[in-house]
Amino acid sequence: MQKYVKHKNKVISEKTIEEKSIKLIKSYFMDSKQDFTKGSIFSKLVAFMLPILFALVLQSLYGAVDMLIVGRFGTTAGLSGVSTGGNVMNLFTMLLNNITIGVTVLMGQYIGAKRYEKVNKLISNAVAFFLVLSLLLTVFIVIFARPLAIAMQTPSEAIDLTVQYIRICGAGFIFITFYNFISAMLRGVGDSSTPLLFVAIASIVNVIGDLILVAGLKMNVAGAAIATVAAQAVSVFLSLWIIRKKKMSFGFRKEHFRFGSEVPHFVKLGLPLTIQGFLTNFSFLALCAFVNRLGLEASSGYGVAQKIQLFVMLIPSALMQSMAPFVSQNVGAGNEKRARSGMLCGQGIGAGIGLFVMIGTFFFGDYISRLFTEDEAVIARSFEFLRGFSPEAIVTCILFSYLGYFNGHSKSLFVMVQGLMQTFLIRLPLSYIMSIQPNASLTGVGIAAPTATVFGIILCFCYYKYLGRSLERK
């Protein structure tokens, strides 16, 4: 029996609303000019990847600006607090981002197969899911901020400041959640430019907030955390306003906000990545704890190096985020040859750029570190880590292109397995061994990352060959 509802002061059928929503989704996808199933692979990937890269650069500036301004106008303990607290928050943000990958992949597959009605339902179900998830994580982070800081073996001088940073950022976690979800949704339909606009405005808000609260009002860590949350809040409200102005319906209706049948689908895809991300980032916390045992200078130096490390990893991250929707659309369209060509193209682009990044980091890492602090001892410790870490700029581009390819095929279980193997068999043990050496240098700790990544590439190459033979038999 036909059902009727009141919509914009008119009584119309639910079927009519559904048809209009599907039409808007299809229209928006066609206008995005990112149909990855045809055209030049290189130009499509680059055009889609560049806005993602710029957005990631601006996102990295959140933490980098916090470190830079706290390093200049705050205290050394504050620098350690922002670094350690940022690591804790990155753990939860990564958990969230890995679930949103499931949404991006499913949207790409549905669009490649031209099943626009499935996109409508997917987005509606996902909104309800992420709303509940963000509230649960907010409560957890605020309550357990101090135990998390203590577990990180935070230097005693910085514990209270670390707890302060975690609690303030945790209180605004709902904004972090929905910024990442909305960005994933738009990337799934081939739009990487609109999320860039969101984060560009938010970055300006973050810089202004840091200058006012940290440099001006001398609020130290609290000011940096408040500025970060305010920037994310602006991103969310701006994105919702733009979605409304562009009439991007996506099925946003009250009666659709529920845990429907699409939730298990994207959770099944995202859960292995979430488990991997959680355990991998937990290993980063363990690595941070290894370094913290070496003293405040090593802790602060490693914190500075991590902010630079985020920029080194921008190209690989942009590649993986671009590769998943590219591959998923072609998988949905049944074009496996194009999906493979896209992966190889991505590896070539990433490795070429990564070579220059590696050279810059290896030879000029001390100059870059001076942007964050004037403490020569901290700069020296940061440079130690970067010299060992620098080859990661190349090898991770190769690895992440593989991972994006596998995610586009919904093979997230393998992505999880290889990630855990390289982390717990290679990176953590090697980092620990290097950290307990007499007069331990952070160079040894840094080199554990590219060593583990090379191991991951070997695993991925073997699985790539296996998957290729399996697809050929079908």
Side-chain angles (χ1 to χ4, degrees), residues 36-37 98 100-113 188 269-270 273 319-336 338-340 342-343 399-415 463-464 467 471 474:
F36 296 130
T37 61
N98 286 325
T100 65
I101 290 174
V103 176
T104 300
V105 170
L106 277 181
M107 287 187 71
Q109 291 179 355
Y110 290 157
I111 287 172
L269 282 175
L273 301 177
L319 266 174
M320 187 165 68
Q321 290 188 28
S322 304
M323 195 61 60
F326 181 93
V327 172
S328 63
Q329 280 192 27
N330 283 285
V331 168
N335 195 344
E336 176 59 29
R338 185 176 173 86
R340 290 186 179 186
M343 184 201 72
L399 177 67
F400 278 21
S401 293
Y402 271 127
L403 300 186
Y405 173 81
F406 295 138
N407 284 333
H409 280 82
S410 302
K411 303 299 182 183
S412 56
L413 182 59
F414 169 77
V415 174
Y463 187 72
Y464 172 71
L467 181 61
L471 294 172
K474 290 183 179 180

Side-chain angles (χ1 to χ4, degrees), residues 59 87-105 126-138 141 169-170 172-185 187 232 236 266-267 269-279 281 321:
Q59 280 183 303
N87 280 326
V88 172
M89 292 308 302
N90 286 340
L91 174 65
F92 294 100
T93 303
M94 184 64 70
L95 181 152
L96 170 72
N97 284 341
N98 286 325
I99 298 179
T100 65
I101 290 174
V103 176
T104 300
V105 170
V127 170
F129 175 84
F130 284 108
L131 176 61
V132 173
L133 178 63
S134 65
L135 295 176
L136 291 175
L137 287 176
T138 294
I141 293 169
C169 290
F173 199 74
I174 189 171
F175 300 119
I176 297 173
T177 298
F178 274 90
Y179 166 74
N180 286 282
F181 163 64
I182 293 170
S183 296
M185 176 187 73
R187 286 193 299 270
Q232 293 285 359
V236 172
F266 70 76
V267 169
L269 282 175
L271 187 58
L273 301 177
T274 301
I275 294 171
Q276 177 208 346
F278 181 84
L279 293 176
N281 275 271
Q321 290 188 28

Side-chain angles (χ1 to χ4, degrees), residues 55-303:
L56 288 172
V57 169
L58 293 175
Q59 280 183 303
S60 297
L61 286 176
Y62 283 173
V65 167
D66 288 348
M67 290 286 290
L68 190 153
I69 295 180
V70 170
R72 293 283 181 174
F73 300 100
T75 63
T76 301
L79 197 62
S80 179
V82 171
S83 170
T84 306
N87 280 326
V88 172
M89 292 308 302
N90 286 340
L91 174 65
F92 294 100
T93 303
M94 184 64 70
L95 181 152
L96 170 72
N97 284 341
N98 286 325
I99 298 179
T100 65
I101 290 174
V103 176
T104 300
V105 170
L106 277 181
M107 287 187 71
Q109 291 179 355
Y110 290 157
I111 287 172
K114 303 188 186 307
R115 301 180 65 186
Y116 300 109
E117 75 286 351
K118 298 286 285 183
V119 176
N120 193 348
K121 188 175 182 181
L122 168 65
I123 296 302
S124 301
N125 289 177
V127 170
F129 175 84
F130 284 108
L131 176 61
V132 173
L133 178 63
S134 65
L135 295 176
L136 291 175
L137 287 176
T138 294
V139 172
F140 180 87
I141 293 169
V142 171
I143 291 176
F144 293 99
R146 184 166 293 276
L148 288 168
I150 293 172
M152 289 287 293
Q153 297 191 35
T154 305
S156 58
E157 308 96 314
I159 283 185
D160 288 340
L161 293 177
T162 302
V163 171
Q164 190 178 51
Y165 187 89
I166 294 171
R167 282 184 173 154
I168 293 173
C169 290
F173 199 74
I174 189 171
F175 300 119
I176 297 173
T177 298
F178 274 90
Y179 166 74
N180 286 282
F181 163 64
I182 293 170
S183 296
M185 176 187 73
L186 294 174
R187 286 193 299 270
V189 296
D191 182 358
S192 58
S193 299
T194 304
L196 172 60
L197 174 62
F198 303 158
V199 72
I201 299 297
S203 296
I204 295 172
V205 173
N206 189 53
V207 172
I208 293 173
D210 277 333
L211 290 173
I212 293 173
L213 300 176
V214 181
L217 299 180
K218 307 299 181 183
M219 293 178 66
N220 204 12
V221 169
I226 292 170
T228 298
V229 171
Q232 293 285 359
V234 168
S235 292
V236 172
F237 290 121
L238 177 65
S239 64
L240 293 175
W241 180 77
I242 289 177
I243 285 173
R244 184 177 180 85
K245 291 291 288 185
K246 287 190 174 184
K247 298 181 180 180
M248 293 150 52
S249 158
F250 294 142
F252 285 173
R253 289 167 31 224
K254 183 173 63 177
E255 57 269 29
H256 282 177
F257 293 168
R258 62 180 183 271
F259 281 65
S261 59
E262 291 298 323
V263 172
H265 292 161
F266 70 76
V267 169
K268 182 180 178 181
L269 282 175
L271 187 58
L273 301 177
T274 301
I275 294 171
Q276 177 208 346
F278 181 84
L279 293 176
T280 301
N281 275 271
F282 184 80
S283 74
F284 292 160
L285 299 185
L287 179 58
C288 186
F290 297 162
V291 174
N292 283 346
R293 293 170 59 249
L294 302 177
L296 186 60
E297 287 179 355
S299 173
S300 297
Y302 177 63

Side-chain angles (χ1 to χ4, degrees), residues 312-313 316 350-351 353-355 357-358 361 389-397:
V312 173
M313 297 297 289
I353 299 173
L355 176 62
V357 176
M358 183 193 74
T361 306
F389 176 81
S390 59
E392 188 82 339
I394 297 177
V395 294
T396 305
C397 288

